[in-house]
Amino acid sequence: MKKSLALVVATTAALALSACSSSDSDPGGAATGTVAVVTSTNVYGDIAAQVGGDLVHVTAIIDDPSADPHSYEASAQTQLALSRAALVVENGGGYDDFVDTMLDAISTEPVVVNAVEVSGKDTGGDLNEHVWYDFPTVRALAGTIADELSSIDADNAATYAANATAFQAKVDDLIAETDAIKAEHAGAGVAITEPVPLYLLENAGLVNKTPEAFSEAIEEETDVPPAALKDTIALFSSHAVDALVYNSQTTGTETERVLSAAKDAGVPVVPVTETMPEGRDYVSWMTANIDAVRSALAS
Ligand SMILES: [Zn+2]
């Protein structure tokens, strides 16, 4: 929905005031001849860079590995980058609504790729919006990005298609690796603190035993119902789960209690993150996640 002009002005002013910086020092300042791409997180930034190669200039709005994207506050610098973008890649599904809000406030209309839409997942009810942990979605997303870049920059369509194919082959390896976990450990119980890694775990045939009231409260940063906390902690002492996969970007009293309950019971813990850690690209990051889950299950 479009906002009234007055509201847009007020919102933009508020955004400018709360400016915490995007870490790209060159917002949207595409080098001559490259396609300006803006993505909501560094995860989509890397995928877009894999497909676009040297032909694109990517600005990732959230690329601080320690930031929690759910509580991101937009900045004037981000607004500027978006106003110069030819292609925008967002997660969608309520995860990075600030992108749409800011797009509403600018007059240019970049092509927008929405990963949740690409996933084809049902957005009604309780969508797990962390679709970048779903490898078939990421595979399809690379194809969609290549198609959109080709329509923006038709001369280089063959390069975008070839880059996407090369990236998709690596994603196929990730799919094969999760299939290998499934072959060995299908049906094994796992616990999570947040739904972040859930698609990866489910694709690997693992069963999430965490009470939904617990993981939802952690994700939404609301109070965990005492019964849900108790039931979650009991998963470890009763060895109903073989691993705890927790979001290391969100910590708090309840998360720490669950973590120490797992450690006390000798249940392996696997840290995961919402955004890409420093020094990683998408494929090496996800390979490390898969390896960590596999060795946790093997121990
Ligand atoms: Zn999340």
Side-chain angles (χ1 to χ4, degrees), residues 196-260:
V196 184
L198 205 48
Y199 288 118
L200 188 163
L201 300 174
E202 286 171 351
N203 289 340
L206 309 174
V207 181
N208 173 27
K209 305 265 191 185
T210 322
E212 219 176 292
F214 175 80
S215 46
E216 248 174 42
I218 298 293
E219 169 91 7
E220 304 298 330
E221 295 176 3
T222 56
D223 290 336
V224 177
L229 180 62
K230 193 166 159 268
D231 292 348
T232 304
I233 285 171
L235 292 172
F236 308 107
S237 48
S238 66
H239 288 268
V241 294
D242 291 346
L244 166 66
V245 185
Y246 74 102
N247 181 3
S248 59
Q249 277 176 298
T250 314
T251 47
T253 324
E254 288 100 349
T255 317
E256 270 153 32
R257 282 192 61 188
V258 165
L259 246 155
S260 56

Side-chain angles (χ1 to χ4, degrees), residues 28-185:
T32 322
T34 59
V35 179
V37 180
V38 176
T39 66
S40 58
T41 68
N42 64 356
V43 182
Y44 294 115
D46 182 65
I47 297 167
Q50 300 289 336
V51 176
D54 296 341
L55 302 168
V56 299
H57 177 275
V58 178
T59 303
I61 297 172
I62 299 175
D63 69 353
D64 177 356
S66 63
D68 178 2
H70 290 283
S71 43
Y72 174 75
E73 288 187 48
S75 74
Q77 197 182 13
T78 304
Q79 186 96 30
L80 183 65
L82 280 170
S83 71
R84 293 174 178 172
L87 176 67
V88 172
V89 183
E90 64 179 6
N91 185 77
Y95 184 72
D96 45 13
D97 282 343
F98 62 88
V99 175
D100 289 337
T101 305
M102 295 175 95
L103 284 173
D104 279 349
I106 59 176
S107 54
T108 51
E109 280 184 25
V111 176
V112 178
V113 172
N114 177 311
V116 167
E117 278 174 19
V118 171
S119 78
K121 295 186 188 301
D122 185 2
T123 54
D126 16 291
L127 166 80
N128 171 10
E129 71 269 32
H130 307 87
V131 294
W132 63 97
Y133 269 86
D134 183 52
F135 303 135
T137 293
V138 170
R139 195 184 194 293
L141 179 69
T144 304
I145 291 172
D147 290 347
E148 297 299 354
L149 286 173
S150 299
S151 62
I152 293 164
D153 176 24
D155 288 352
N156 290 306
T159 305
Y160 297 129
N163 290 349
T165 303
F167 177 75
Q168 286 169 331
K170 294 178 190 168
V171 177
D172 285 341
D173 290 343
L174 299 177
I175 293 172
E177 285 164 35
T178 40
D179 285 346
I181 294 180
K182 191 176 190 172
E184 232 180 303
H185 299 284

